[in-house]
Every structure is written in structure tokens, then in C-alpha cells.
Amino acid sequence: MKRVGVIGDPVEHSLSPHMHNAAFGELGIDAFYELWPTPLPGLGDRVASLRLPDVLGANVTVPHKQAVMPFLDRVTETAQRIGAVNTVIPSPEGLIGDNTDAHGFQRSIEETFGPVQIDSAVVLGAGGASRAAIVALRMMGVENIDIANRTDARAAALAQEFAAEMIPWSEVVAESFPDAELLINATSLGWHDEMPVLMDDLKRLPHRAIVVDLTYRETPLLRAAADCGRRGLDGLGMLVHQGARAFELWTGMQAPVGIMQESVRAEQARRG
């Protein structure tokens, strides 16, 4: 039996084992997805273990997405642009680090809303999730990207790197919302059931605008968007599609996305 796992600290909350083990079962693949809790001092040894012949691959989660990179033989261009690795693929050339988050974001948008033409987007936040979202936006051909963060300096650095526009947090609603066709909350506020902006602020968005919260469930922001007549999307689709892409990189087989999505939703319901 082949083994796959998620490397991080902690990892007990991960939904990935449910998603991938359902996919392995659906396709009759003799593999099992495990939790691999790994404190930072043990990261090198953990990565070295991925070279064993029974290892099919690995995911990497916080806080190791950047720290893992020096232990790998090659890092893809996408992972370099995002500045983080979330998937490791053993190959004859060694361990390859990739990042499937941008792919997951793009696919979740396409799956939910179909082909959409987006010229202007606003990203709230300047962390790792923001970087993946911005790379996805560039892949989607979005030309105008405004970035706002509660710490302006971090937003400015990110904007400079990706040829985007930094908007001060206090001014983003007035400056950016009226023209934004896509608003992405990539801050951690959704996990704490907090709003990054006021409900009345959302009314400044065009009626055709899409509001995305990268949290894996409905949030106050998404409920407020619906109340304002704007379309909304949580981060669960991104999670599933980034996992599906990793699955395909490990196995060379088409991922059963529907089965993976059902298993994640079932586990979320079980956890309440």
C-alpha cells in the first residue's frame, strides 16, 4: 500500500484525509492518506522520508509551506511565484514542490459561476492565501488588482511584487469597491466570524460583483453579501480543487471531484 500524508503542525483539523481516502477508494487505488504532525526541528527528516518507495506524495500546510522548500530538489514556477509549497511529488528526478492553491481558486470560480470576465478585483489581506489568490487572478487574466491589508507596508510589498495597486485599508471601500467585480477576503477574520468590512460597504460593489471568503464555510461576510444581492462563494471549492490537482499529480489519474467534495461536506457536517 502506498502512503500519502499532510505535513504540518498541527494537522489534526485537516479535512484532506477524508477527501483523498474517499478518492482512493472510489478509483480502487491501494493508497492511504495519513496525518503527519511535524514540529519544525523534524521537518528535514520528514521530507527525507518522502523518498521511500512506498510514499506516493505529500501535502504541506502551516507553518511549513515556506520552510520545506530548501529540502526539495525542485520547486515549480507556480510555487515560486506564490512563495510556498503545498504539494510534494516524488519523481525520478527527486522531490518536486508545487502549489495547487491558485489552480484550486480558479477552478472553484469557474465551477460555480462559469466563464466570467473579470477586469478588476480587490484582495483583502497580504498573507499566503492572498498570494495564491493573486497568482490565480493573473492566470485568469485579471488586469486591475487592488490589495489592502491592515498593515499597509505588507500590502505595499505584495503589490510591488505582483504589479498590483496598494490601497490603504481605511480607503479601500471608497477607492476600490465601486469598480470591483470580485472581492476576495483572504484575511483570517472569517475563521473568527468577523467582518473585514461593514455590510453597508458591500452595497458599494457593483450588483454583478462576486464576494469570495476563503474560509471553508459560510461566514458573516457571505451572509451580508447575499443580503445585499451579491453573489458569494466560500473557500471549500478551492480546498477541494487544490486537493484534486494534487491527487492527479500523485496518481496520474483524473480526480473524482464530486466524491471528494461530498466527503468533505460530510465530515464538516459531522464536526458540526
Side-chain angles (χ1 to χ4, degrees):
M1 175 179 287
K2 295 286 188 178
R3 296 184 299 126
V4 190
V6 56
I7 300 168
D9 186 23
V11 293
E12 289 73 20
H13 64 285
S14 176
L15 293 166
S16 293
H18 305 276
M19 176 168 59
H20 287 291
N21 286 327
F24 290 144
E26 176 69 13
L27 298 185
I29 297 173
D30 189 20
F32 189 74
Y33 194 106
E34 304 170 337
L35 296 174
W36 291 339
T38 307
L40 183 58
L43 182 59
D45 289 340
R46 175 67 73 185
V47 175
S49 73
L50 303 182
R51 301 180 188 276
L52 295 173
D54 66 331
V55 174
L56 190 61
N59 284 133
V60 185
T61 189
V62 292
H64 300 327
K65 289 186 175 185
Q66 292 82 35
V68 74
M69 296 171 79
F71 297 104
L72 304 173
D73 298 296
R74 183 168 70 85
V75 175
T76 66
E77 181 181 350
T78 298
Q80 290 175 10
R81 291 182 67 196
I82 296 174
V85 163
N86 78 339
T87 302
V88 179
I89 309 103
S91 77
E93 293 77 35
L95 298 177
I96 300 172
D98 201 353
N99 194 306
T100 61
D101 283 334
H103 171 88
F105 180 88
Q106 182 176 3
R107 285 292 298 118
S108 69
I109 292 288
E110 294 170 347
E111 178 184 63
T112 306
F113 303 109
V116 290
Q117 179 64 42
I118 298 170
D119 296 317
S120 298
V122 177
V123 179
L124 303 179
S130 304
R131 297 179 66 89
I134 293 166
V135 170
L137 293 174
R138 290 302 189 208
M139 290 165 53
M140 295 164 65
V142 179
E143 293 187 5
N144 303 305
I145 302 175
D146 289 349
I147 304 171
N149 188 60
R150 285 166 290 182
T151 304
D152 286 343
R154 293 189 66 191
L158 198 60
Q160 182 176 18
E161 182 178 349
F162 287 98
E165 188 77 20
M166 189 282 283
I167 307 296
W169 185 265
S170 61
E171 300 173 18
V172 66
V173 172
E175 291 290 326
S176 302
F177 278 31
D179 297 319
E181 295 156 311
L182 179 64
L183 171 65
I184 303 168
N185 176 36
T187 73
S188 60
L189 293 173
W191 294 108
H192 306 291
D193 287 330
E194 298 178 26
M195 291 269 288
V197 294
L198 301 175
M199 181 171 178
D200 283 346
D201 294 337
L202 297 177
K203 296 177 183 177
R204 298 199 183 199
L205 294 169
H207 283 284
R208 67 183 182 280
I210 297 169
V211 178
V212 178
D213 195 320
L214 296 184
T215 311
Y216 303 155
R217 54 181 169 78
E218 186 182 55
T219 63
L221 176 66
L222 293 176
R223 288 192 289 271
D227 289 342
C228 293
R230 274 64 175 180
R231 297 173 292 175
L233 179 67
D234 67 26
L236 190 65
M238 177 178 174
L239 171 71
V240 171
H241 281 289
Q242 68 79 26
R245 178 60 181 155
F247 181 93
E248 291 168 356
L249 291 170
W250 296 327
T251 66
M253 301 176 68
Q254 185 173 348
V257 175
I259 294 295
M260 298 172 81
Q261 196 161 46
E262 288 174 12
S263 68
V264 168
R265 292 196 183 280
E267 177 59 18
Q268 279 190 313
R270 189 191 70 79
R271 296 182 185 186

Short mmCIF file of all heavy atoms in Angstrom, two decimals, residues 122-182:
data_model
loop_
_atom_site.label_atom_id
_atom_site.label_comp_id
_atom_site.label_asym_id
_atom_site.label_seq_id
_atom_site.Cartn_x
_atom_site.Cartn_y
_atom_site.Cartn_z
N VAL A 122 -10.43 43.10 -5.89
CA VAL A 122 -9.87 43.62 -4.64
C VAL A 122 -9.53 42.44 -3.75
O VAL A 122 -10.37 41.55 -3.54
CB VAL A 122 -10.86 44.56 -3.92
CG1 VAL A 122 -10.28 45.03 -2.59
CG2 VAL A 122 -11.20 45.75 -4.80
N VAL A 123 -8.33 42.41 -3.23
CA VAL A 123 -7.89 41.36 -2.31
C VAL A 123 -7.65 41.99 -0.95
O VAL A 123 -6.85 42.93 -0.82
CB VAL A 123 -6.59 40.69 -2.81
CG1 VAL A 123 -6.13 39.62 -1.82
CG2 VAL A 123 -6.80 40.08 -4.19
N LEU A 124 -8.34 41.47 0.05
CA LEU A 124 -8.15 41.92 1.43
C LEU A 124 -7.25 40.93 2.13
O LEU A 124 -7.58 39.75 2.24
CB LEU A 124 -9.50 42.01 2.16
CG LEU A 124 -10.57 42.92 1.52
CD1 LEU A 124 -11.84 42.88 2.36
CD2 LEU A 124 -10.06 44.35 1.37
N GLY A 125 -6.09 41.40 2.60
CA GLY A 125 -5.12 40.53 3.24
C GLY A 125 -3.83 40.49 2.45
O GLY A 125 -3.82 40.78 1.25
N ALA A 126 -2.74 40.11 3.13
CA ALA A 126 -1.44 40.09 2.46
C ALA A 126 -0.61 38.89 2.88
O ALA A 126 0.62 38.93 2.82
CB ALA A 126 -0.68 41.39 2.76
N GLY A 127 -1.27 37.81 3.28
CA GLY A 127 -0.57 36.60 3.68
C GLY A 127 -0.48 35.59 2.54
O GLY A 127 -0.64 35.92 1.36
N GLY A 128 -0.25 34.33 2.92
CA GLY A 128 -0.08 33.28 1.92
C GLY A 128 -1.31 33.06 1.08
O GLY A 128 -1.21 32.82 -0.14
N ALA A 129 -2.49 33.12 1.68
CA ALA A 129 -3.72 32.93 0.92
C ALA A 129 -3.89 34.04 -0.11
O ALA A 129 -4.37 33.81 -1.23
CB ALA A 129 -4.93 32.88 1.85
N SER A 130 -3.49 35.25 0.26
CA SER A 130 -3.57 36.37 -0.68
C SER A 130 -2.67 36.14 -1.88
O SER A 130 -3.06 36.40 -3.02
CB SER A 130 -3.17 37.67 0.02
OG SER A 130 -3.95 37.90 1.16
N ARG A 131 -1.47 35.66 -1.63
CA ARG A 131 -0.52 35.42 -2.72
C ARG A 131 -1.08 34.40 -3.72
O ARG A 131 -1.01 34.60 -4.93
CB ARG A 131 0.81 34.94 -2.17
CG ARG A 131 1.52 35.94 -1.28
CD ARG A 131 2.83 35.36 -0.76
NE ARG A 131 3.77 35.15 -1.85
CZ ARG A 131 4.64 36.05 -2.28
NH1 ARG A 131 4.68 37.25 -1.72
NH2 ARG A 131 5.46 35.78 -3.28
N ALA A 132 -1.67 33.32 -3.20
CA ALA A 132 -2.25 32.31 -4.09
C ALA A 132 -3.41 32.89 -4.89
O ALA A 132 -3.55 32.62 -6.09
CB ALA A 132 -2.72 31.11 -3.28
N ALA A 133 -4.23 33.71 -4.23
CA ALA A 133 -5.36 34.32 -4.93
C ALA A 133 -4.89 35.27 -6.03
O ALA A 133 -5.45 35.30 -7.13
CB ALA A 133 -6.24 35.06 -3.93
N ILE A 134 -3.84 36.04 -5.76
CA ILE A 134 -3.34 36.99 -6.75
C ILE A 134 -2.75 36.25 -7.95
O ILE A 134 -2.96 36.64 -9.10
CB ILE A 134 -2.30 37.92 -6.11
CG1 ILE A 134 -2.99 38.82 -5.08
CG2 ILE A 134 -1.60 38.76 -7.17
CD1 ILE A 134 -2.03 39.55 -4.16
N VAL A 135 -1.99 35.18 -7.69
CA VAL A 135 -1.47 34.38 -8.80
C VAL A 135 -2.62 33.82 -9.64
O VAL A 135 -2.57 33.83 -10.87
CB VAL A 135 -0.56 33.25 -8.28
CG1 VAL A 135 -0.21 32.26 -9.40
CG2 VAL A 135 0.72 33.83 -7.68
N ALA A 136 -3.67 33.35 -8.98
CA ALA A 136 -4.84 32.85 -9.70
C ALA A 136 -5.48 33.95 -10.54
O ALA A 136 -5.87 33.73 -11.69
CB ALA A 136 -5.85 32.27 -8.72
N LEU A 137 -5.60 35.14 -9.97
CA LEU A 137 -6.19 36.25 -10.72
C LEU A 137 -5.38 36.57 -11.97
O LEU A 137 -5.94 36.84 -13.04
CB LEU A 137 -6.30 37.49 -9.82
CG LEU A 137 -7.28 37.39 -8.65
CD1 LEU A 137 -7.17 38.63 -7.76
CD2 LEU A 137 -8.70 37.20 -9.13
N ARG A 138 -4.07 36.54 -11.85
CA ARG A 138 -3.23 36.79 -13.02
C ARG A 138 -3.42 35.67 -14.05
O ARG A 138 -3.47 35.93 -15.27
CB ARG A 138 -1.76 36.89 -12.61
CG ARG A 138 -1.42 38.15 -11.81
CD ARG A 138 -1.75 39.41 -12.58
NE ARG A 138 -1.23 40.61 -11.93
CZ ARG A 138 -1.78 41.81 -12.04
NH1 ARG A 138 -2.88 41.97 -12.77
NH2 ARG A 138 -1.25 42.86 -11.45
N MET A 139 -3.55 34.42 -13.60
CA MET A 139 -3.81 33.31 -14.50
C MET A 139 -5.15 33.49 -15.23
O MET A 139 -5.31 33.06 -16.37
CB MET A 139 -3.81 31.99 -13.72
CG MET A 139 -2.45 31.56 -13.20
SD MET A 139 -2.51 30.25 -11.94
CE MET A 139 -3.50 28.99 -12.74
N MET A 140 -6.10 34.13 -14.55
CA MET A 140 -7.43 34.35 -15.11
C MET A 140 -7.47 35.59 -16.01
O MET A 140 -8.52 35.91 -16.56
CB MET A 140 -8.45 34.48 -13.97
CG MET A 140 -8.63 33.22 -13.16
SD MET A 140 -9.46 33.51 -11.56
CE MET A 140 -11.08 34.05 -12.09
N GLY A 141 -6.37 36.30 -16.10
CA GLY A 141 -6.31 37.48 -16.96
C GLY A 141 -6.84 38.75 -16.34
O GLY A 141 -7.15 39.72 -17.06
N VAL A 142 -6.96 38.78 -15.02
CA VAL A 142 -7.43 40.00 -14.34
C VAL A 142 -6.32 41.04 -14.37
O VAL A 142 -5.22 40.81 -13.88
CB VAL A 142 -7.85 39.70 -12.89
CG1 VAL A 142 -8.32 40.98 -12.20
CG2 VAL A 142 -8.94 38.64 -12.85
N GLU A 143 -6.61 42.20 -14.94
CA GLU A 143 -5.58 43.22 -15.13
C GLU A 143 -5.43 44.14 -13.91
O GLU A 143 -4.31 44.51 -13.54
CB GLU A 143 -5.90 44.06 -16.37
CG GLU A 143 -5.81 43.28 -17.68
CD GLU A 143 -5.96 44.18 -18.88
OE1 GLU A 143 -6.06 45.42 -18.70
OE2 GLU A 143 -5.98 43.65 -20.01
N ASN A 144 -6.54 44.52 -13.31
CA ASN A 144 -6.50 45.51 -12.23
C ASN A 144 -6.76 44.84 -10.89
O ASN A 144 -7.86 44.35 -10.63
CB ASN A 144 -7.56 46.60 -12.48
CG ASN A 144 -7.37 47.29 -13.82
OD1 ASN A 144 -6.29 47.80 -14.11
ND2 ASN A 144 -8.40 47.27 -14.65
N ILE A 145 -5.73 44.79 -10.05
CA ILE A 145 -5.84 44.16 -8.74
C ILE A 145 -5.44 45.17 -7.67
O ILE A 145 -4.32 45.71 -7.69
CB ILE A 145 -4.93 42.91 -8.63
CG1 ILE A 145 -5.28 41.89 -9.71
CG2 ILE A 145 -5.04 42.29 -7.25
CD1 ILE A 145 -4.35 40.69 -9.75
N ASP A 146 -6.37 45.46 -6.76
CA ASP A 146 -6.09 46.31 -5.61
C ASP A 146 -5.89 45.43 -4.38
O ASP A 146 -6.65 44.49 -4.16
CB ASP A 146 -7.24 47.28 -5.35
CG ASP A 146 -7.33 48.37 -6.42
OD1 ASP A 146 -6.39 48.49 -7.23
OD2 ASP A 146 -8.35 49.08 -6.44
N ILE A 147 -4.87 45.75 -3.59
CA ILE A 147 -4.57 44.97 -2.38
C ILE A 147 -4.63 45.90 -1.18
O ILE A 147 -4.01 46.97 -1.17
CB ILE A 147 -3.16 44.34 -2.47
CG1 ILE A 147 -3.03 43.47 -3.73
CG2 ILE A 147 -2.87 43.51 -1.22
CD1 ILE A 147 -1.61 43.00 -4.00
N ALA A 148 -5.38 45.47 -0.16
CA ALA A 148 -5.46 46.24 1.08
C ALA A 148 -5.23 45.29 2.25
O ALA A 148 -5.71 44.16 2.26
CB ALA A 148 -6.83 46.91 1.21
N ASN A 149 -4.49 45.78 3.22
CA ASN A 149 -4.19 44.99 4.41
C ASN A 149 -4.16 45.93 5.60
O ASN A 149 -3.86 47.12 5.46
CB ASN A 149 -2.83 44.29 4.26
CG ASN A 149 -2.55 43.30 5.39
OD1 ASN A 149 -3.30 42.35 5.58
ND2 ASN A 149 -1.50 43.54 6.13
N ARG A 150 -4.47 45.39 6.78
CA ARG A 150 -4.49 46.25 7.96
C ARG A 150 -3.11 46.82 8.26
O ARG A 150 -2.99 47.87 8.88
CB ARG A 150 -5.05 45.47 9.16
CG ARG A 150 -6.57 45.28 9.08
CD ARG A 150 -7.08 44.25 10.04
NE ARG A 150 -6.67 42.90 9.65
CZ ARG A 150 -7.02 41.81 10.31
NH1 ARG A 150 -7.78 41.91 11.39
NH2 ARG A 150 -6.61 40.62 9.89
N THR A 151 -2.05 46.13 7.80
CA THR A 151 -0.70 46.68 7.83
C THR A 151 -0.36 47.09 6.41
O THR A 151 -0.10 46.25 5.55
CB THR A 151 0.31 45.64 8.35
OG1 THR A 151 -0.09 45.17 9.64
CG2 THR A 151 1.71 46.24 8.44
N ASP A 152 -0.35 48.39 6.16
CA ASP A 152 -0.18 48.88 4.79
C ASP A 152 1.14 48.44 4.18
O ASP A 152 1.21 48.18 2.97
CB ASP A 152 -0.26 50.41 4.77
CG ASP A 152 -1.68 50.93 4.96
OD1 ASP A 152 -2.63 50.13 4.80
OD2 ASP A 152 -1.85 52.12 5.25
N ALA A 153 2.19 48.34 4.98
CA ALA A 153 3.51 48.01 4.44
C ALA A 153 3.51 46.63 3.79
O ALA A 153 4.15 46.41 2.76
CB ALA A 153 4.56 48.08 5.53
N ARG A 154 2.80 45.68 4.39
CA ARG A 154 2.75 44.33 3.81
C ARG A 154 1.99 44.35 2.49
O ARG A 154 2.37 43.67 1.53
CB ARG A 154 2.09 43.36 4.79
CG ARG A 154 2.90 43.10 6.05
CD ARG A 154 2.29 41.99 6.86
NE ARG A 154 2.37 40.71 6.15
CZ ARG A 154 1.73 39.61 6.54
NH1 ARG A 154 0.93 39.64 7.60
NH2 ARG A 154 1.85 38.50 5.85
N ALA A 155 0.91 45.11 2.43
CA ALA A 155 0.16 45.22 1.18
C ALA A 155 1.00 45.89 0.11
O ALA A 155 0.97 45.50 -1.06
CB ALA A 155 -1.13 46.01 1.42
N ALA A 156 1.79 46.89 0.50
CA ALA A 156 2.63 47.60 -0.47
C ALA A 156 3.69 46.67 -1.06
O ALA A 156 3.95 46.71 -2.27
CB ALA A 156 3.29 48.80 0.21
N ALA A 157 4.30 45.84 -0.22
CA ALA A 157 5.31 44.90 -0.70
C ALA A 157 4.71 43.89 -1.67
O ALA A 157 5.30 43.56 -2.71
CB ALA A 157 5.96 44.19 0.47
N LEU A 158 3.51 43.40 -1.34
CA LEU A 158 2.84 42.43 -2.20
C LEU A 158 2.43 43.07 -3.53
O LEU A 158 2.59 42.48 -4.60
CB LEU A 158 1.62 41.87 -1.47
CG LEU A 158 1.02 40.56 -1.97
CD1 LEU A 158 2.05 39.44 -1.90
CD2 LEU A 158 -0.21 40.19 -1.13
N ALA A 159 1.94 44.29 -3.45
CA ALA A 159 1.52 44.99 -4.66
C ALA A 159 2.70 45.24 -5.58
O ALA A 159 2.60 45.08 -6.81
CB ALA A 159 0.86 46.32 -4.29
N GLN A 160 3.83 45.59 -5.02
CA GLN A 160 5.01 45.83 -5.84
C GLN A 160 5.47 44.54 -6.53
O GLN A 160 5.83 44.55 -7.71
CB GLN A 160 6.14 46.38 -4.98
CG GLN A 160 7.40 46.71 -5.78
CD GLN A 160 8.47 47.35 -4.92
OE1 GLN A 160 8.45 47.27 -3.70
NE2 GLN A 160 9.43 47.99 -5.56
N GLU A 161 5.42 43.43 -5.79
CA GLU A 161 5.86 42.15 -6.35
C GLU A 161 5.00 41.70 -7.51
O GLU A 161 5.50 41.13 -8.48
CB GLU A 161 5.87 41.09 -5.25
CG GLU A 161 6.35 39.74 -5.70
CD GLU A 161 6.39 38.72 -4.57
OE1 GLU A 161 6.23 39.10 -3.39
OE2 GLU A 161 6.58 37.52 -4.88
N PHE A 162 3.70 41.95 -7.42
CA PHE A 162 2.77 41.44 -8.43
C PHE A 162 2.23 42.52 -9.36
O PHE A 162 1.23 42.30 -10.05
CB PHE A 162 1.61 40.71 -7.74
CG PHE A 162 1.98 39.38 -7.16
CD1 PHE A 162 2.27 39.26 -5.81
CD2 PHE A 162 2.09 38.26 -7.96
CE1 PHE A 162 2.63 38.04 -5.26
CE2 PHE A 162 2.44 37.03 -7.43
CZ PHE A 162 2.72 36.92 -6.08
N ALA A 163 2.88 43.67 -9.38
CA ALA A 163 2.47 44.77 -10.25
C ALA A 163 0.99 45.11 -10.03
O ALA A 163 0.22 45.32 -10.99
CB ALA A 163 2.73 44.44 -11.71
N ALA A 164 0.59 45.13 -8.77
CA ALA A 164 -0.78 45.48 -8.40
C ALA A 164 -0.76 46.85 -7.72
O ALA A 164 0.26 47.53 -7.68
CB ALA A 164 -1.35 44.41 -7.46
N GLU A 165 -1.90 47.26 -7.19
CA GLU A 165 -2.04 48.56 -6.56
C GLU A 165 -2.31 48.39 -5.07
O GLU A 165 -3.20 47.64 -4.67
CB GLU A 165 -3.20 49.33 -7.20
CG GLU A 165 -3.32 50.76 -6.77
CD GLU A 165 -2.30 51.68 -7.43
OE1 GLU A 165 -1.75 51.30 -8.49
OE2 GLU A 165 -2.05 52.77 -6.90
N MET A 166 -1.52 49.06 -4.24
CA MET A 166 -1.78 49.05 -2.81
C MET A 166 -2.76 50.19 -2.48
O MET A 166 -2.54 51.34 -2.86
CB MET A 166 -0.49 49.24 -2.01
CG MET A 166 -0.67 49.02 -0.50
SD MET A 166 -1.43 50.37 0.43
CE MET A 166 -0.08 51.52 0.58
N ILE A 167 -3.82 49.83 -1.79
CA ILE A 167 -4.80 50.82 -1.33
C ILE A 167 -4.81 50.79 0.20
O ILE A 167 -4.95 49.73 0.79
CB ILE A 167 -6.22 50.51 -1.86
CG1 ILE A 167 -6.21 50.34 -3.39
CG2 ILE A 167 -7.20 51.60 -1.43
CD1 ILE A 167 -5.84 51.57 -4.15
N PRO A 168 -4.63 51.92 0.86
CA PRO A 168 -4.70 51.92 2.33
C PRO A 168 -6.01 51.31 2.82
O PRO A 168 -7.07 51.51 2.22
CB PRO A 168 -4.60 53.41 2.68
CG PRO A 168 -3.87 54.01 1.53
CD PRO A 168 -4.34 53.25 0.31
N TRP A 169 -5.91 50.55 3.90
CA TRP A 169 -7.08 49.84 4.45
C TRP A 169 -8.24 50.80 4.68
O TRP A 169 -9.40 50.47 4.39
CB TRP A 169 -6.68 49.14 5.74
CG TRP A 169 -7.76 48.30 6.34
CD1 TRP A 169 -8.65 48.65 7.30
CD2 TRP A 169 -8.09 46.94 5.99
NE1 TRP A 169 -9.50 47.60 7.58
CE2 TRP A 169 -9.19 46.56 6.80
CE3 TRP A 169 -7.55 46.02 5.08
CZ2 TRP A 169 -9.75 45.28 6.73
CZ3 TRP A 169 -8.12 44.75 5.00
CH2 TRP A 169 -9.21 44.39 5.82
N SER A 170 -7.95 51.99 5.18
CA SER A 170 -9.00 52.95 5.50
C SER A 170 -9.68 53.54 4.27
O SER A 170 -10.76 54.14 4.38
CB SER A 170 -8.42 54.09 6.36
OG SER A 170 -7.40 54.77 5.63
N GLU A 171 -9.07 53.35 3.10
CA GLU A 171 -9.60 53.96 1.89
C GLU A 171 -10.13 52.95 0.87
O GLU A 171 -10.67 53.34 -0.17
CB GLU A 171 -8.51 54.82 1.22
CG GLU A 171 -7.98 55.94 2.10
CD GLU A 171 -6.80 56.66 1.49
OE1 GLU A 171 -6.61 56.52 0.26
OE2 GLU A 171 -6.05 57.33 2.22
N VAL A 172 -9.95 51.66 1.14
CA VAL A 172 -10.23 50.66 0.10
C VAL A 172 -11.70 50.63 -0.30
O VAL A 172 -12.02 50.45 -1.48
CB VAL A 172 -9.75 49.26 0.54
CG1 VAL A 172 -10.55 48.73 1.72
CG2 VAL A 172 -9.81 48.28 -0.64
N VAL A 173 -12.60 50.83 0.66
CA VAL A 173 -14.03 50.78 0.32
C VAL A 173 -14.39 51.90 -0.66
O VAL A 173 -15.01 51.67 -1.71
CB VAL A 173 -14.89 50.86 1.59
CG1 VAL A 173 -16.37 51.01 1.22
CG2 VAL A 173 -14.68 49.63 2.46
N ALA A 174 -13.97 53.12 -0.34
CA ALA A 174 -14.29 54.26 -1.18
C ALA A 174 -13.55 54.21 -2.52
O ALA A 174 -14.11 54.54 -3.57
CB ALA A 174 -13.98 55.56 -0.46
N GLU A 175 -12.29 53.79 -2.49
CA GLU A 175 -11.45 53.84 -3.68
C GLU A 175 -11.70 52.68 -4.64
O GLU A 175 -11.68 52.85 -5.87
CB GLU A 175 -9.97 53.86 -3.28
CG GLU A 175 -9.53 55.14 -2.60
CD GLU A 175 -9.49 56.31 -3.58
OE1 GLU A 175 -9.18 56.08 -4.76
OE2 GLU A 175 -9.80 57.44 -3.15
N SER A 176 -11.89 51.48 -4.10
CA SER A 176 -11.85 50.27 -4.93
C SER A 176 -13.18 49.58 -5.13
O SER A 176 -13.40 48.95 -6.18
CB SER A 176 -10.85 49.27 -4.33
OG SER A 176 -9.57 49.84 -4.21
N PHE A 177 -14.06 49.64 -4.15
CA PHE A 177 -15.29 48.86 -4.24
C PHE A 177 -16.19 49.23 -5.42
O PHE A 177 -16.78 48.34 -6.03
CB PHE A 177 -16.08 48.94 -2.92
CG PHE A 177 -15.59 48.00 -1.86
CD1 PHE A 177 -14.25 47.62 -1.79
CD2 PHE A 177 -16.46 47.48 -0.91
CE1 PHE A 177 -13.80 46.76 -0.81
CE2 PHE A 177 -16.02 46.60 0.07
CZ PHE A 177 -14.68 46.24 0.12
N PRO A 178 -16.35 50.51 -5.78
CA PRO A 178 -17.30 50.84 -6.85
C PRO A 178 -17.00 50.17 -8.19
O PRO A 178 -17.92 49.97 -8.99
CB PRO A 178 -17.19 52.37 -6.94
CG PRO A 178 -16.78 52.80 -5.58
CD PRO A 178 -15.83 51.73 -5.12
N ASP A 179 -15.74 49.82 -8.44
CA ASP A 179 -15.38 49.22 -9.73
C ASP A 179 -15.03 47.73 -9.62
O ASP A 179 -14.71 47.09 -10.63
CB ASP A 179 -14.18 49.95 -10.34
CG ASP A 179 -14.49 51.40 -10.65
OD1 ASP A 179 -15.60 51.66 -11.14
OD2 ASP A 179 -13.62 52.25 -10.36
N ALA A 180 -15.08 47.18 -8.43
CA ALA A 180 -14.61 45.81 -8.21
C ALA A 180 -15.65 44.79 -8.66
O ALA A 180 -16.78 44.80 -8.20
CB ALA A 180 -14.27 45.60 -6.75
N GLU A 181 -15.23 43.91 -9.55
CA GLU A 181 -16.11 42.81 -9.98
C GLU A 181 -15.90 41.57 -9.13
O GLU A 181 -16.70 40.64 -9.18
CB GLU A 181 -15.82 42.49 -11.44
CG GLU A 181 -16.17 43.64 -12.37
CD GLU A 181 -15.40 43.60 -13.68
OE1 GLU A 181 -14.16 43.44 -13.65
OE2 GLU A 181 -16.05 43.72 -14.72
N LEU A 182 -14.83 41.57 -8.33
CA LEU A 182 -14.53 40.44 -7.47
C LEU A 182 -13.87 40.97 -6.20
O LEU A 182 -12.89 41.71 -6.26
CB LEU A 182 -13.58 39.46 -8.18
CG LEU A 182 -13.13 38.22 -7.40
CD1 LEU A 182 -14.32 37.32 -7.07
CD2 LEU A 182 -12.10 37.44 -8.20
#
